[in-house]
Structures are given as C-alpha cells and as structure tokens.
Amino acid sequence: MIQIQDVSKSFKGDLAVQNLNLEIKKGDILGLLGANGAGKSTTINMLLGFLKPDSGKVSINAIDTSQNAQETRKLIGYIPENVNLYPYLSGLENLDYFCKLAGLKYSKKELEDYLSTCGLANDAHHKKVSGYSKGMRQKVGIAIAYAKKAKVYLLDEPASGLDPLASNELSLLLQKLASEGATILMASHDIFRVREVCNRIGILKKGILVKELNSKDVSANELETLYLQFMQN
Amino acid sequence: MFQIIKNEWQFLVRSRIFLGISIAFIAIMLLSIFLGNYQTQKQEQTHQNAKNHVRQQWVSIDEMNPHSAAHYGTFIFKPTNLLSNLDEGVNSVTGNVLRVEGHVQNEIVHSEASQMQAVSRFGKLKPSLLLQYIVPLLLVFLAFNTVSNEKQSGRLKLLVLQGAKPLQIILSKTLAVWLYGVLLLIFILFVYGILNVQSLTTDILARTGLFFISYCLYYFIISGLTVFFSSRWQNATLALTSMLGIWIIWTIFLPNILMSSVEKWHKLPSRNEFQTAMKEDRSKGLDGHNPTDKRSLALKEKVLKEYGVDSVSQLPINFDGMRMQADEDYGNSVWDKHFGNNRSVLKKQKQSFQLGGIVNPFISLQNTSMGFMASDNLHHQEFLLQVENYRRVFIKMLNDKQIYGGSKTGDWGWKIDNAFFKSVPDFDYKPTEISAVISNYILDVVLLFLWTILVVALIVLGTKKLKMV
C-alpha cells in the first residue's frame, strides 16, 4: 500500500532523508522511531504530497504522491501530534465539517457512531472542542480519517503528551483499524508504545533507515537497547 | 466553498467579542441613520419654512418699481438631499443660502461648518464615515489571521487532506469576511429605505444601487488583501500590521497628499484674485446705473436709431430698463467666463484626483460614494448653475417689465402691481439625475473593478506560493 523507493530529500543542502526504502502492506502498522530531526516528519510530509522528494518515488496504492497528490490524499487519514480542531464547534460538528469538505454527508446518528467507534465518550460528542483534552481531540482526528474511509493512516507522534489511559486507548484503536485492513505509519519517540502497537519497526537516524525489524522478534528492553545503540553510534 | 464560508460564520456567530462589537457597531450605525434622518427632516422643514417665508414676502409686494424689486431680490435655500443622509459629502461646508439680486452674483453662504464647531472639527456622524473608515477596519481585524491561524495550528493540512483546494480555502475565507461587510451595508440601506420608503424614486434607487456596488467592491479589496497577507506572511501579527499600514496610508495620508498636489497642479484663483479679475472685466462693460457711460451712450444711439426717434423721451419703451438688461447681459458673460474657468479648473482637479484611484481605491470609493449620493462638488456646482440660470430669468423678467411694461425712460417712480410679482416663478430646483452625471464616475467604478481583479490575481498567485510545511 505504501511504497517509498530510494527516496532522498534535503533542505538547503542538509539531507533530511537519504535513500529511504520502505514498504508497508495492507494491515501493517509500521512504527518509525527516531530522534528529533531524524526525518520522520519529512517522510510523512512526502507521503502527504506536501513535499516532493529530490529523488526516488513515494507512492500510495501505486499512485505517485508527487504526481497525483489529490488522488493519494483521498486515501490518507492524517493525525498530527496536536489535532487542532475548531474550538468553537463540538466534536460532532468538527467531524461533520471535515466530512462535508471531503464530500461526505452523514446523518447525525452515523457521525455519533463514528465518534463512539473511535472511543469518544457519548457525553462529549456535543461539547465544544475548546473543553477537550488532547486525547479526546485525537479521537476526533481519527474519527475524521475513519469516516473518510481512509486506507492509509499517517500518525506523527500521536502518543506524545497523552496520559497512559488515553495512550492505551489509542493503541487499541490503531490495532482495530489495522485489523480492518488499514495501513498505518506511526512516527514516534515512544519505544514502548511502538513496540506494543506496531508489527513492524524502523529506526531512522539522520535520514537513514538504519534498522528494520518485526516487533515480535524483539522485547521492549531489547528494542530500547538497540535504539540507544544506534543513536549513540 | 460554501462549507468553509459557513464554518467561518459559525465562528463569528459564536464569538462573544465579535457579537459584542457587531451589536455596538450596529447600534451606532442605527443612531447615525436616525439622527441623520431626523436632522434631514428638520432641515427640510426649516428650508420649506424659510422658502415659504421668502416667497410670501415676494408675492406680498403690493407695488414696486421692477428695478427696485431686482435690488430687493430674493433668497434661495439649498434643498436638503435625502441621499446625503448616507454621505454628507461637501454639503456641510458649501453653504445653504444664496441671495439672488440684480447686477451681482452672490456667493452661497451659511455653511453648517461655519456655524457648528463640532461639524467643522470632526465632521458629521454619517453612515459613510462608519462605512468608509470603521467597516474596513473591522474586516481587517476579522481577516488578518484567517489563514495564518489555520497554518499555525496545522488545520490547513487537514483541510487540504480532506479535499479542499488552497484557492478554495483562501477565496472562501475572503468571501466570508467580505459578506460581513456586505451584510452591514445591506442592513444600513434597508433601514434607510424603510425610514424613507415614501420618498424613494427610481433615481434614488439607482444611485443607492451604485453606492452599494462601490462599497461591495471596496470591501472585497480590503478583505481579499488582508486574507492574502494572512496566507503569505508567516504570522498573523505581520499580516495585521501590513493591513493597518495600508489602511492608514489609503485613508489618511494619500487622499490628503493627492488632493493638495492636485490643487497645486490645477490652481484655482484665490478669492481676492477672483473678485479683482471679475471687477476689472466688469468695469470694461456697461454700467447700468450710469447714463453717461460710453457704452450706455452707444446703446442709446443704437436704440434711438432702431426706433427712428431723436431722444429717449420719444421712445415708446423705457430705455433705463434696456440699459439695465444690457448691464446684466454683460455681467453674465463676465460671470460665465470666470465661473466657467473655475468650473473647468475644478473639473481638471476632479479628473486628476480620480487617477489617484490607481494607487488608492479608497479615493475611488470616496468619489463614488459622494457622487452617487449627490453630495459632491459636481452636484453642488450643478445646483449653483441652476440658481444662476434662475437669477437670469428672474432679473430679465423684472427688466423686461421695466422696459415694456408701460413706463417711460427716467420714470423711476413707476410701479407695477402685485399681480406681476405673483406671476414671477419661484426657484424650482431639479435634482440632477444620475444618468446625466454617471459618466463622471465611470473611471472610479472601473478602477474599483480593476483593484478587485488585482486582488483576485494576488490571491491566486499567493495560493500557488502557499507553503503547507
């Protein structure tokens, strides 16, 4: 579903991503670990079609994102670190608005179902987002992607700043989406969460994918040791 | 696009600060309309009373020599203009009363500004003041962070991912803000229409329609430019500062600088120069009150020859009246020359000032606003011209009576009865129709359209350079 072939990207001479190769299949959750500036967000922005690679090819569902971003964006659900919704609208109104922008018109009941499926408590549906916690906003963000029937989910540091309960709920939700056939790429610093949620893990260092492994092949402690080794070398 | 506009409006409607400002603004607006209407009605009543009083005095003249009546003269009061409720234009500084008499063309006097310190210092609180200065400011405050806020919060990415095109987003945000200005405008015109429904004519409706279009274009320019800055600059403060700078330059500095320059390029004679030149030219003509004047003697010879008599006492007409009319005719040509020159200088000033609209659409807006509300200098000049035309008919009627009414030359004690004075028509002001003067404002409207196109082009270009990351 997601294919990144020999992609490089630099900003004013500084290489952000270097000869990156990645393939994420349907139902896979790939966790991209790396320090700040490792190239995680650049990779996501290339997948979103907001950045063009200097060389190589980024494609989603075999469609080149730099050639036909409009088409690939239809398939993508994007959840940034901070899902900033419209604070004067309720969660339900936000969902309705973003769905309508995508040309989707749902009944109130359907919208409520989407929010509930994504874990937002029923009593929060009609409350203004200005009173939401970060986790609640993230759930609405996922509901927007879910209602859009996204095939690919791109998450940039989704667990950052979430309390353990909210973080756990997010993990369960992502696994549920993957089990329904979604392809998920999650960029994160959080080794333990990535180990828990993702079936595949990649470690990025200075734009280079230095290691790729299956999460079941490694324990959380081993992964931490491995990660620190790569970061220190 | 509709969804984005709707969402922007949801924000406006749910924002307490915005609602508070809007309510306060509408209240001030209503106050200005009601006060303006009340004042116009009061002025209209005063005008009618004064007009009736002066007319009554005229038609009550029992018996009088026609030439004495020409010196007695009458007064003309500038009628109130319903449209100036919306834009006062130059009306408060141009004067309201004009004395009409023989031998001389008097200046219009008693302007409101000369009698009221508040008007001379601050101008009047008219809807145009709010529509031209305050509404654009509100639009700037509404628009300056519309796009930058979306960029900074990361929502712009979400919007684009959901399928909204950047151009759609920016145009929708422009339209949403613009719509606010347009709704305020519609509200004002609606209230104004309701208050004056019995006085609405086709001309007033056409003028109001053109007034509406001018403001709509200007509000689009302001909204679009602010949203453009909001999308181009990295932060909202920079967008706000840029637009406030433009607002100050457009509304305060440039109009003053341009008008002063135009007045220097096309200079009107000073009052003293004008009066001296008029006096000098007049002295070269015929003096109606001096029978020994060289030109009077020449006219006398001509008339005697025409009638085939030797002396004015043999004439079947009153030669004194004829001399007075010849004096008038000469005076009229002197007036035509000097006032014609003034009018042509004023026209050149107006045309040059209009070109200021190329760099400042506010100038075009002011021109159309005053022009369409019949309160600019052009309309004032039209009024003065009508008064002068009336004066000529009025004086000629009196002189003709003196000549052909049955009196003889030198018979200054001869009087005409009341029926004649009643037959002299009163001044009947015919408001200038918009169709007669529209050509004077086409350049302003065209410039506003060109500015609108320029802003759309900027938005399109700005969209292409919009950085998502």
Side-chain angles (χ1 to χ4, degrees), chain B residues 360-394:
Chain B
N360 182 4
F362 180 76
I363 285 176
S364 305
L365 176 78
Q366 267 198 327
N367 288 342
T368 51
S369 179
M370 281 195 278
F372 294 145
M373 293 297 100
S375 59
D376 64 351
N377 199 36
L378 185 98
H379 284 81
H380 179 65
Q381 293 296 323
E382 289 298 321
F383 165 74
L384 293 180
L385 205 62
Q386 282 192 35
V387 174
E388 174 56 17
N389 288 339
Y390 171 74
R391 194 194 73 83
R392 290 179 187 187
V393 171
F394 175 74

Side-chain angles (χ1 to χ4, degrees), chain A residues 80-83 134-135 138 156-163 167 170 186-190 193:
Chain A
E81 183 179 350
N82 278 306
V83 179
K134 189 179 173 188
Q138 226 146 19
D156 200 353
E157 312 281 4
S160 154
L162 289 187
D163 63 62
S167 194
L170 177 71
M186 178 171 133
S188 179
H189 296 292
D190 189 340
R193 188 60 58 194

Side-chain angles (χ1 to χ4, degrees), chain B residues 172-192:
Chain B
S172 306
K173 284 178 182 283
T174 303
L175 291 176
V177 174
W178 173 73
L179 201 59
Y180 175 67
V182 173
L183 285 178
L184 283 178
L185 194 59
I186 290 173
F187 175 76
I188 288 163
L189 295 181
F190 180 73
V191 174
Y192 156 83

Side-chain angles (χ1 to χ4, degrees), chain B residues 133 136-145 218-231 233 235-251 361 451 455 458:
Chain B
Y133 293 86
L137 264 186
L138 286 178
L139 299 182
V140 168
F141 284 115
L142 282 178
F144 79 95
N145 67 352
Y218 185 69
Y219 289 168
F220 183 84
I221 293 164
I222 291 287
S223 311
L225 213 52
T226 316
V227 175
F228 166 73
F229 282 131
S230 181
S231 66
W233 303 145
N235 63 64
T237 316
L238 207 55
L240 178 64
T241 315
S242 307
M243 268 323 284
L244 286 181
I246 286 176
W247 182 85
I248 291 168
I249 291 169
W250 276 3
T251 57
W451 265 97
V455 167
L458 277 176

Side-chain angles (χ1 to χ4, degrees), chain A residues 102-114:
Chain A
L104 303 163
K105 206 167 184 308
Y106 292 117
S107 67
K108 192 179 160 196
K109 171 81 175 57
E110 286 170 317
L111 293 169
E112 281 175 335
D113 286 346
Y114 281 122

